[in-house]
Amino acid sequence: MSQSAMLKESNDTHSNQTLAKRFKIWMAVLIVSMIAGGGAILYRVIEGLAVTNLSTFVPWGAWVAFYIFFVGLSAGAFLLSTLIFVFGMEQYERVGRFALFTALICMVVALTFILLDLGRMDRAFNAMMYWNVLSILSWEVRFYLIYMVLLATELWFAMRIDLIKLAKDKSAGLKGKLANVIRLGSSDTSEISAKKDHRWMKILGIIGIPIAIIGVHGGTGTLFAAVAAQPYWNTPLFPIIFVVSALVSGTALLIAMYVIQRKVRGKSVDLTMIKGLAVLMIFFLIIDLTLEFYEFLVAGLSMKPDKMAVLDVMFTGPMSWSFWGVQIFLGAVVPIYLVFSKRTNQSVKALTIAAVLVVIGIIGVRFNIVVPTQIVQSMKGLPEGFYFPNWVEWLSSLGVVAMGLFLYSLGARFLPLETQEGEVKGHE
Amino acid sequence: MGTKYDVLINEGLVNGADILKSSKYDTSLGLNMAEDARRLSDGLISEEEFVSKYQESVSKEFNQKLEVHASEGSHDNVKWGMVIDLRKCVGCETCTVSCKAENRTPPGVSYNQVFIEEEGTFPNVSRTNIPRPCMHCDKPPCASVCPVRATYKADNGIVVQDADRCIGCRYCMVACPYGARTFDFGENYDEMLGYEEVTSPEHGMDRGKRKEGKAPVGTVRKCNFCFHRLERGEEPACVETCIGDARYFGDLNDPESTVSKLANSSRAFRLKEEYGTEPRVYYLR
């Protein structure tokens, strides 16, 4: 919230001092959130999952929803970066490194969420030690790690020359020292080596596309879709919807992050690029909505009672506001209007609001994937489930998200993520 | 000496030696065997020791051959299965309660439940009670989704849950079409004395006291067909305590067993067969 407040007063030029002050306030807010969230996490670690609203009847809740949300953000951000580094869409170049870094941080956040959700956090490494080839989840764990290594490597190639420049720059201070460590001894800044970097980024991007689509996010969708006992998930369209909604949220997040960062630093925003990205986001969103529409339509028309029961919970249950209000109205109707209306689509602010709303809408999508199907019990005699996260789950989630933003802010501060103005040029 | 109650009880007590004296067989042999049989059932001596000790005298005295009951000791080639006769089930939940008592399951953890389904309106009403233990599916979806192979299909047909490997991700709970899995949130029956003395005996091993934060707390738990009882040659608790004798238990690999015959009857059906899970629990409609 403090972010948007900062945004408002950003049009005037700022001295380095106010910038440093803002950064301090921002970091302080994050640290306070992390301490509060850390308290809730500590409470959960000591007392176990009993302190959450999870139950035997609704075993998966907010943390699982946030986990798939952040995996989706990561996959979406990465796929957007491939538009730049693989498909050569240079108009988006400015967000390229941010996209990679965001993707990496989102994975860290996602894995933290799923760690919190484990009944026995002390056995988390069992997931690496033992492998069940039939279990998608078992594959996912490995894909996540491969994917994170790939992201880090690609990001390194993207930053390499800037790291070397920074390391040589005596006035860069801590940033320079860090760059000196991260450059890993590399010192070649020639044109040829830059070309090589781009080649590597392209290769890694090409390898990364199937890993991100099939392995990481399609796989996460399959993790749900493969469960025959949950008829709502059990459709082949489900993993595809996962990937498309990842593209939606990833694009939206990058728009929001880019604009907010630039504004806070008092720098100009590339409106043409923002408009392009916003249209791209709405394009993905409309595909996403279409797929979901058919998912619901086919389920409804085929009148399968167990699917109808889940749709009934989602559309008319006590939590249906999260579907109609968050997922449809805030997450789709308003952003589509903001991006297409002639009155608003020239305004950076309106487009940013649209992007933020889309991100929030996708949180609703993730919750509506995880929760409603569990409300409907597998056996008729079991008690009706209800789930809404309690304060422990909310507060710990706040803490984990704050951790992600903290890491991101540190990265944005100390790593050369910003592409220099002159640098934007074609590869190949 | 003692109160008149003691006197009454002592008069009522039957003296084993006196009774054995009235038979034509050796009294001391009978008393010794009874003594050792008790030690055998307490697990102090093995069946082999018992047999070797008495084999000779039994064949001399009774002209019978005493041997180790091989089929009960080792359960090779057995595929355990259960048949539940819904016409006999009265919906009393004795199975649920005896299961909780036998397996010392904590609050919120129940391996067995009885679902009551009422259909129609008065006066045309029917009521069906469906007791639901774990189905011990031949193709268990819980086992195929488990990322760490903590739950798996054992050779004897039981779907086992390894409380020492489970990471508590609860994927299996989401994947089970029968709702047969519960999560151990670590709660306790504080009002019950001695409740925490034994932890999940169904694994057939002594896990010691139930303590906070110690497995199986934080893991998923499920019915084990009372594996510890099967090892002792006993039936699962729910089968043994069923007041209507509605449950049958045995080897589905043996075509002559009661369960095999009942499972092949025209009354037999299984829950949610459309999922292809191939349950090993049959119902008789």
Side-chain angles (χ1 to χ4, degrees):
Chain A
M1 299 312 104
S2 60
Q3 237 178 9
S4 55
M6 289 174 188
L7 192 67
K8 281 186 193 122
E9 39 158 332
S10 57
N11 273 348
D12 35 59
T13 49
H14 303 285
S15 64
N16 276 337
Q17 220 168 6
T18 45
L19 280 184
K21 201 176 157 198
R22 276 181 182 178
F23 186 72
K24 268 183 194 153
I25 295 172
W26 169 239
M27 290 309 248
V29 169
L30 289 181
I31 288 169
V32 169
S33 310
M34 278 160 69
I35 291 170
I41 291 170
L42 195 67
Y43 181 48
R44 175 256 172 271
V45 170
I46 294 169
E47 294 291 324
L49 287 178
V51 299
T52 65
N53 269 357
L54 297 170
S55 66
T56 279
F57 307 110
V58 185
W60 282 357
W63 289 329
V64 172
F66 278 122
Y67 143 69
I68 56 175
F69 172 70
F70 279 99
V71 173
L73 280 183
S74 173
F78 170 75
L79 290 175
L80 194 75
S81 83
T82 62
L83 288 185
I84 303 153
F85 297 128
V86 178
F87 300 106
M89 290 186 162
E90 288 132 34
Q91 63 267 42
Y92 305 136
E93 169 104 32
R94 278 164 220 274
V95 292
R97 292 180 200 172
F98 284 114
L100 285 174
F101 190 61
T102 306
L104 189 59
I105 296 296
C106 283
M107 281 314 290
V108 174
V109 172
L111 291 184
T112 313
F113 269 114
I114 211 60
L115 175 68
L116 269 186
D117 192 64
L118 290 185
R120 297 209 62 98
M121 297 165 85
D122 52 323
R123 296 185 188 162
F125 277 96
N126 277 12
M128 289 304 296
M129 271 159 65
Y130 305 108
W131 190 342
N132 179 3
V133 268
L134 286 178
S135 171
I136 288 288
L137 186 50
S138 209
W139 285 89
E140 283 316 295
V141 176
R142 280 138 187 109
F143 271 124
Y144 293 156
L145 294 179
I146 294 170
Y147 173 65
M148 286 167 77
V149 170
L150 185 133
L151 285 176
T153 318
E154 192 177 342
L155 182 62
W156 184 81
F157 277 115
M159 298 188 308
R160 194 187 62 91
I161 288 184
D162 282 352
L163 283 173
I164 296 165
K165 282 181 190 159
L166 268 176
K168 282 181 188 157
D169 185 358
K170 290 282 181 286
S171 64
L174 186 60
K175 205 172 169 180
K177 276 182 190 143
L178 186 73
N180 198 20
V181 176
I182 299 179
R183 78 187 165 99
L184 302 173
S186 167
S187 57
D188 189 357
T189 54
S190 65
E191 276 289 311
I192 302 163
S193 76
K195 274 227 167 83
K196 260 190 189 164
D197 284 351
H198 283 303
R199 251 195 92 68
W200 268 112
M201 279 150 68
K202 192 167 180 176
I203 291 169
L204 288 169
I206 290 171
I207 300 171
I209 290 170
I211 290 182
I213 293 182
I214 301 169
V216 173
H217 209 56
T220 309
T222 313
L223 192 153
F224 290 85
V227 176
Q230 306 286 353
Y232 172 59
W233 295 342
N234 191 216
T235 77
L237 217 49
F238 217 70
I240 298 174
I241 294 180
F242 255 71
V243 173
V244 177
S245 51
L247 287 167
V248 177
S249 62
T251 317
L253 183 76
L254 282 177
I255 297 173
M257 291 283 225
Y258 171 76
V259 174
I260 290 169
Q261 278 180 68
R262 299 289 292 189
K263 288 277 183 184
V264 167
R265 293 186 187 174
K267 289 181 182 165
S268 66
V269 173
D270 184 345
L271 180 64
T272 336
M273 183 186 74
I274 293 300
K275 267 161 71 182
L277 283 174
V279 170
L280 193 65
M281 166 184 90
I282 296 299
F283 169 72
F284 290 141
L285 180 63
I286 287 173
I287 297 177
D288 197 29
L289 288 173
T290 313
L291 290 174
E292 275 182 58
F293 169 73
Y294 280 117
E295 186 82 287
F296 298 147
L297 185 70
V298 172
L301 289 179
S302 55
M303 306 268 272
K304 291 240 174 79
D306 34 10
K307 279 200 180 189
M308 295 294 278
V310 180
L311 294 186
D312 196 36
V313 167
M314 205 152 91
F315 296 156
T316 64
M319 295 297 291
S320 56
W321 57 267
S322 71
F323 179 79
W324 297 113
V326 180
Q327 185 174 338
I328 298 296
F329 184 72
L330 288 181
V333 176
V334 177
I336 289 175
Y337 174 80
L338 286 176
V339 174
F340 282 143
S341 163
K342 285 219 171 66
R343 276 197 302 171
T344 49
N345 69 0
Q346 299 301 319
S347 143
V348 173
K349 201 187 272 177
L351 293 178
T352 314
I353 291 171
V356 172
L357 285 177
V358 167
V359 174
I360 293 171
I362 298 290
I363 299 181
V365 173
R366 300 314 187 200
F367 267 82
N368 278 319
I369 285 171
V370 175
V371 182
T373 178
Q374 296 179 85
I375 301 293
V376 180
Q377 295 298 319
S378 49
M379 297 292 284
K380 235 200 256 171
L382 288 169
E384 177 101 343
F386 181 78
Y387 173 78
F388 192 75
N390 70 359
W391 69 270
V392 179
E393 290 165 272
W394 283 126
L395 200 57
S396 55
S397 301
L398 176 78
V400 177
V401 175
M403 178 197 79
L405 287 171
F406 183 78
L407 290 176
Y408 182 87
S409 307
L410 282 182
R413 181 91 162 78
F414 293 111
L415 293 174
L417 294 178
E418 199 116 15
T419 313
Q420 302 309 309
E421 302 299 314
E423 247 180 77
V424 183
K425 56 181 174 248
H427 326 308
E428 288 290 281
Chain B
M1 286 310 290
T3 64
K4 64 178 177 184
Y5 300 110
D6 293 333
V7 175
L8 274 173
I9 285 169
N10 284 339
E11 277 174 3
L13 272 183
V14 185
N15 188 335
D18 290 344
I19 293 185
L20 284 176
K21 258 176 208 150
S22 65
S23 86
K24 60 177 178 177
Y25 299 111
D26 184 8
T27 307
S28 63
L29 175 66
L31 286 174
N32 287 340
M33 279 183 78
E35 182 95 350
D36 280 329
R38 190 167 294 161
R39 293 174 63 202
L40 173 63
S41 77
D42 285 348
L44 296 173
I45 57 169
S46 72
E47 199 179 349
E48 285 78 14
E49 282 176 82
F50 183 83
V51 169
S52 67
K53 190 168 173 185
Y54 292 108
Q55 204 160 30
E56 210 174 315
S57 34
V58 163
S59 64
K60 211 187 284 171
E61 191 75 16
F62 302 105
N63 202 19
Q64 275 179 355
K65 205 176 169 206
L66 188 64
E67 49 191 354
V68 178
H69 229 291
S71 68
E72 295 225 324
S74 73
H75 291 136
D76 293 345
N77 247 335
V78 160
K79 281 256 190 232
W80 297 116
M82 192 184 278
V83 177
I84 303 174
D85 190 340
L86 296 183
R87 283 196 208 164
K88 283 174 155 185
C89 175
V90 296
C92 66
E93 299 257 19
T94 300
C95 43
T96 311
V97 175
S98 66
C99 171
K100 281 198 80 74
E102 176 71 35
N103 294 311
R104 316 278 177 121
T105 52
V109 175
S110 202
Y111 299 162
N112 184 87
Q113 278 137 331
V114 181
F115 302 134
I116 296 164
E117 281 181 17
E118 275 179 22
E119 275 175 306
T121 46
F122 180 81
N124 301 316
V125 190
S126 77
R127 173 173 155 147
T128 316
N129 309 308
I130 302 178
R132 196 246 38 229
C134 169
M135 297 289 125
H136 293 279
C137 308
D138 270 349
K139 301 216 165 69
C142 54
S144 70
V145 300
C146 178
V148 296
R149 280 180 284 123
T151 190
Y152 54 91
K153 179 87 180 164
D155 290 340
N156 57 10
I158 296 176
V159 175
V160 185
Q161 176 75 22
D162 185 345
D164 292 320
R165 189 185 281 194
C166 175
I167 59 173
C169 71
R170 308 186 294 293
Y171 195 5
C172 54
M173 295 175 65
V174 176
C176 173
Y178 305 100
R181 292 173 158 266
T182 41
F183 188 74
D184 191 335
F185 282 94
E187 287 163 78
N188 289 308
Y189 290 112
D190 296 323
E191 68 280 12
M192 254 166 76
L193 287 176
Y195 160 75
E196 286 139 282
E197 291 301 312
V198 190
T199 312
S200 52
E202 75 271 21
H203 291 285
M205 57 183 274
D206 187 8
R207 307 181 65 88
K209 278 192 176 185
R210 181 176 166 83
K211 280 193 207 119
E212 206 174 296
K214 186 181 126 184
V217 174
T219 67
V220 175
R221 299 182 61 173
K222 69 180 288 294
C223 157
N224 221 336
F225 266 169
C226 279
F227 181 64
H228 61 299
R229 290 174 60 92
L230 299 180
E231 287 290 278
R232 301 200 297 251
E234 296 168 16
E235 290 183 315
C238 55
V239 180
E240 190 159 304
T241 56
C242 178
I243 64 157
D245 226 355
R247 294 203 189 211
Y248 302 86
F249 191 81
D251 181 9
L252 283 173
N253 264 2
D254 173 9
E256 292 305 308
S257 69
T258 317
V259 278
S260 293
K261 284 176 185 163
L262 288 175
N264 282 326
S265 87
S266 58
R267 286 171 63 204
F269 74 99
R270 296 183 289 187
L271 290 182
K272 300 195 180 182
E273 287 202 69
E274 69 273 19
Y275 283 99
T277 53
E278 305 283 331
R280 299 196 76 81
V281 174
Y282 290 78
Y283 292 86
L284 302 179
R285 56 167 70 83

